[in-house]
Structure formats: structure tokens, C-alpha cells
Amino acid sequence: MDIREVAVIGLGTMGAGIAEVLARGGLQVVAVEADPEALRRGMSILQRSLDRAVSRGRMTSDEQAAVLGRVRPAGGFAEAAGADLAIEAVPERMEIKRQVFAELDRACRPDAILATNTSSLSVTEIAAGTQHPGRVVGLHFFNPAPVMRLVEVIDTVLADEAVVTAAAGLAARLGKTCVRVGDRAGFVANALLLPYLNHAVTLLETRFASRADIDTAATGGIGLPMGPLALLDLIGLDTALSILEVLHGELGGSRYQPAPLLRRLVAAGRTGRKSGRGLYDYGSESAQPAAAASDIHNGAGAGPAVITVTGPGASPGGELSAAAASAGITVRTDPAEPSDLVIVAASPAVPVLAAALAAGRPADTVGLHLAGPPGGTRLAELVPTRLTSPAAAAAARALAAGLGLTAVQAPDRPGFLAGTLLYPHLADAVRMVQDGYASAADVDTAMTLGCGYPRGPLELADQAGPGNVLDILQAMHLAYGDPAYAAPPLLAEHAAAGLPLRG
């Protein structure tokens, strides 16, 4: 199928971005927007984007003029009659999508490809309402479309193979990386990202950890570019809620059930950055994510001069002991000897309290787990137990500050904080591969190119070690009983065989 002219229906931010991508790829574009004022705004979005490209030296003025010359603004569906492909980028509501496709059915040629840019709705349901369901395909661009390299190409049980192949070929021709998947709620990227974000809201709502610590654990402990709560504010809490409702409706389970706090914030009009308030308050500079300080740093005081290091991760040459010794702190290993503080070099799969009791000084004991990506700044997860004294907790905070560590506070539960965010997320990704929905490589591609992850979830699982991931998930499942924390059989198989998940 030779695609030379494309109609873009809906010229909001996403539609204008898609129109730009197509025009920069050399295609003729018909930009359809029924509302004249919305059409004007959409063309202005396109103009400003191209102006930025010229000002940054990424495009010449002549190239800009050529791109704009390939975009024809149109006020009605009839002007899409000559298009080889039409793609809609209208709001994520099924009734609106159906209306658009009914109009495209009437306006476009019978052999034209009809595409939806939906991020979560059923492409099959959209296709089934058309006269020619075999020609309907999903083409999910990511925002901002001119920058983001990923396109999810969604097949359906009704689609003609030649149509899906042509749509994927177009995306590749535009310089995008394609991940081709079947029609399942959320596809790859949203089906993995949204339950992770939702879980973070639940952790905040249940006071598992503070807002700042949750986001710090994700950036410092996992290596993600943005914390989940800050990212939700950027996406829009209302947008996240609508996607979660679609996911929960199809997939069920606690991972997809929207957190009550998320619903309440949306009902209150606190939808994130676009409203000025969400999980953070953007009207107060001190409350913004970039400026939020972790609660763990408050009242750190002077650091301990002598510490005892014990527990499952303790060793004379261990990272923590070496760092403390380099800072001039006396390090001991026998809890019977006097010291200012007992540190359990903790494992996320083993309770700190057991080691604190074994040391015989539970009031003086705090768990400390070093996390973080290789070669990066290490994150100290400080884990007080029910028996830890306030003085010991303060001494642990001061120790972390004196060692130059970014610190967060975590409860004495499996996974601590970074692991509680990460490991169920990794389990979701492994299940997706296990179900045959997407390959490990495609899952990682979707999350790195579509969500900005420095490493995909399967690579993160291999980096942590499938056996370690398995141990922590099993501990979480035992503690909480939630099936969401159950280890996928595929993970157990790879752990037993000593094989990487991306092998």
C-alpha cells in the first residue's frame, strides 16, 4: 500500500504533533478540525514547534516552509476523501471515536487505512463499528510526537495483515521504532506504567512512605528520570484515572484498581500541573517536586562516632563499612561491644527486626539498605523497626548525611521502599512476556522509548538477578497475600535455570 497523503483528525497537541511528524516525513497532510478556533490553535502549535526547531538549528527556514507547505488545514471530513490513511487524535472517549470513524467511513475511499491513536481503548471495538473493519489499525504515537521515537502498532482479530504491515512500514518510514502488539487494554507502555504509578499513590495514601521519599526512591533507588507522583502530575491525574478504569475493566486486580486518593483528587479538580495542584502544589515553589526535600534529612544532627554493622549484608569489606571507615567512623562487628548505633546491613527480603533482636540491642538498631543504579549515587533506605528509639533513628539519619548518601525512610516490610515500587512492576513485565503478548525486547523498547526509562524492566530484572527478584516477590506475597505480588512462573523458571530474562 502506497501511503502518500494522510488525514489527521483532531488538531490538539497530539494531533498537531502527528501532523508535524508526517509532514516532516515528506507526506501530504490534511489537518481536519471542525471548530475553526481549534483549527487555528492547532496550526499555531505546529508553527511554534517548527519555529523552535529552526531556532535550535535543527531545521532551516526553507525546510520549515516546505513542511508547512505540505500541511493543508481543513474544516470538514469531506476534505479527507483523497487520503490513503486517516488517523484520529481526538479525546479518549469511545463515543467520540465512534462518531469520528463513522464520518471517516463516509468520507474516505474503501481502500484507505483508518487508524486510531488511542492509548488504551479497544481498537477492535472501534473497528467493529465501521463498514470495513479489516482496514482499521491502532497507531499509538507518544507525546510529544515529534520527539518520542516509539509507535505502538496495534493489530486486531479483524485487521487485514497488509493493513497492519503498511501502518508499521509508515511508522518506520517516519523514523519511529515500532512495537507491534495485539489489542489489549493499555497495550505495552500504559499497561505497565499506570499500575506502577497507581501503586505509588496507594503507598502515599496508606502512609507507607512520604511523598518526597516515594519519588526519591524511584529516581535514586531505581534510576528512573522522574518519581511516580511527579510523573502523575505531569501526565494529569484525570488522564491516569481514565486509563486505569479501562485497564481495571478489562484486566481486573488490585494493580489496576484506581487508588481512592487518586479518585478524590480528580473529583476535587486537583488534576496535576495543568490545574496548578495535584499530588504536589505548583502554586508554592517550595512544594514542587524538584524542591521537595526528603523527610529523612530533617533533624539529622551530629553523626555517630562508633557504629556496629551486622546483619545479612554485613561484611568487613562491605560497601557500607568501607564508606564509614573512610569517613573516620569506627566500625565494629560485635554488637556486644559498645557503639553509638547498630546498623543492620539489610536485605529487602529479610525483616530487620529479626536481626535487631539477634543483636540484643533493638532500641539502638536501624536497618540500612544501599540501593541505586550501578555507577550512580547510592540511595540509603533507612529502616527503623517498631523497637527503634528516636535517638537511634536520628543517628542513622546523621550517618547517612555524613556519608553523602541520599536517604529515604522505609518501613520494615519486604522490598523496603524502592523494591516495593519496583518488583511488582517487574512482575507485571514478566507476565506480559509470559503471556506471549510481547517479547522481552519489545517490552524494554516500549518502556525506554515510550516512557523514558534508562533501562527496560526486563533488563532491570536481569541486573538485579532473577533469583533476587523472585525472593523479594515471594516475601512480599507472603506478607500481603495479594496475587499482584505473586512471582510469575516464567521468573521462577529463569531463576532456577540461572538464565537471564532477556536471553
Side-chain angles (χ1 to χ4, degrees), residues 111 164 271 377 503:
D111 63 336
V164 182
T271 55
T377 302

Side-chain angles (χ1 to χ4, degrees), residues 8-9 44 100 115 126 135 214 221 256 283 286 313 316 325 338 361 392-393 418:
V8 177
I9 315 302
S44 295
V100 167
I126 293 170
R135 64 176 175 168
I214 289 169
Y256 308 103
S286 63
R361 297 167 54 188

Side-chain angles (χ1 to χ4, degrees), residues 175-468:
K176 303 297 184 181
T177 298
C178 296
V179 171
R180 181 171 167 177
V181 294
D183 186 20
R184 192 168 82 172
F187 314 131
V188 174
N190 279 336
L192 291 179
L193 180 65
L194 267 297
Y196 155 73
L197 301 180
N198 188 51
H199 188 199
V201 178
T202 298
L203 295 182
L204 177 66
E205 183 172 17
T206 57
R207 302 194 178 187
F208 187 96
S210 72
R211 178 183 64 179
D213 281 357
I214 289 169
D215 278 356
T216 300
T219 54
I222 303 174
L224 298 179
M226 184 178 287
L229 303 179
L231 180 55
L232 271 167
D233 274 352
L234 183 63
I235 292 170
L237 304 190
D238 53 340
T239 300
L241 177 59
S242 66
I243 297 172
L244 282 165
E245 287 173 335
V246 172
L247 289 167
H248 189 247
E250 180 167 323
L251 304 173
S254 62
R255 293 284 287 168
Y256 308 103
Q257 184 172 2
L261 176 60
L262 182 62
R263 288 192 184 279
R264 288 196 297 273
L265 289 170
V266 172
R270 293 183 56 162
T271 55
R273 285 183 180 269
K274 59 189 174 186
S275 70
R277 295 182 75 195
L279 290 153
Y280 290 91
D281 184 352
Y282 296 89
S284 170
E285 185 177 342
S286 63
Q288 294 190 25
S294 171
D295 294 344
I296 202 68
H297 297 300
N298 295 336
V306 182
I307 65 171
T308 299
V309 179
T310 185
S315 65
E319 182 180 355
L320 176 60
S321 297
S326 296
I329 298 169
T330 300
V331 180
R332 293 175 175 163
T333 58
D334 184 356
E337 296 185 71
S339 62
D340 302 317
L341 178 68
V342 178
I343 289 290
V344 174
S347 162
V350 181
V352 172
L353 181 58
L357 292 170
R361 297 167 54 188
D364 299 334
T365 302
V366 177
L368 193 155
H369 175 246
L370 291 173
T377 302
R378 300 292 266 163
L379 178 82
E381 293 186 290
L382 301 183
V383 188
T385 75
R386 295 290 180 180
L387 301 177
T388 300
S389 70
R397 291 195 293 270
L399 173 67
L403 297 180
L405 297 170
T406 300
V408 297
Q409 181 166 311
D412 187 17
R413 297 176 193 169
F416 301 144
L417 180 49
T420 295
L421 286 168
L422 176 63
Y423 289 108
H425 185 42
L426 300 185
D428 291 341
V430 175
R431 284 190 197 95
M432 188 174 280
V433 176
Q434 176 182 280
D435 292 348
Y437 181 68
S439 69
D442 278 351
V443 167
D444 279 2
T445 296
M447 299 309 289
T448 53
L449 298 186
C451 301
Y453 282 35
R455 289 169 297 281
L458 279 305
E459 185 179 349
L460 285 169
D462 282 341
Q463 199 172 75
N468 290 330

Side-chain angles (χ1 to χ4, degrees), residues 111-209:
D111 63 336
I113 297 172
L114 304 184
T116 172
N117 185 58
T118 182
S119 62
S120 59
L121 298 177
S122 170
V123 180
T124 305
E125 186 176 343
I126 293 170
T130 67
Q131 296 177 25
H132 306 285
R135 64 176 175 168
V136 177
V137 67
L139 271 178
H140 178 214
F141 288 79
F142 286 71
N143 192 32
V147 175
M148 301 298 283
R149 292 166 50 200
L150 180 71
V151 172
E152 290 179 315
V153 181
I154 299 94
D155 199 350
T156 77
V157 295
L158 301 171
D160 295 337
E161 175 60 29
V163 166
V164 182
T165 300
L170 173 64
R173 176 177 157 193
L174 296 173
K176 303 297 184 181
T177 298
C178 296
V179 171
R180 181 171 167 177
V181 294
D183 186 20
R184 192 168 82 172
F187 314 131
V188 174
N190 279 336
L192 291 179
L193 180 65
L194 267 297
Y196 155 73
L197 301 180
N198 188 51
H199 188 199
V201 178
T202 298
L203 295 182
L204 177 66
E205 183 172 17
T206 57
R207 302 194 178 187
F208 187 96

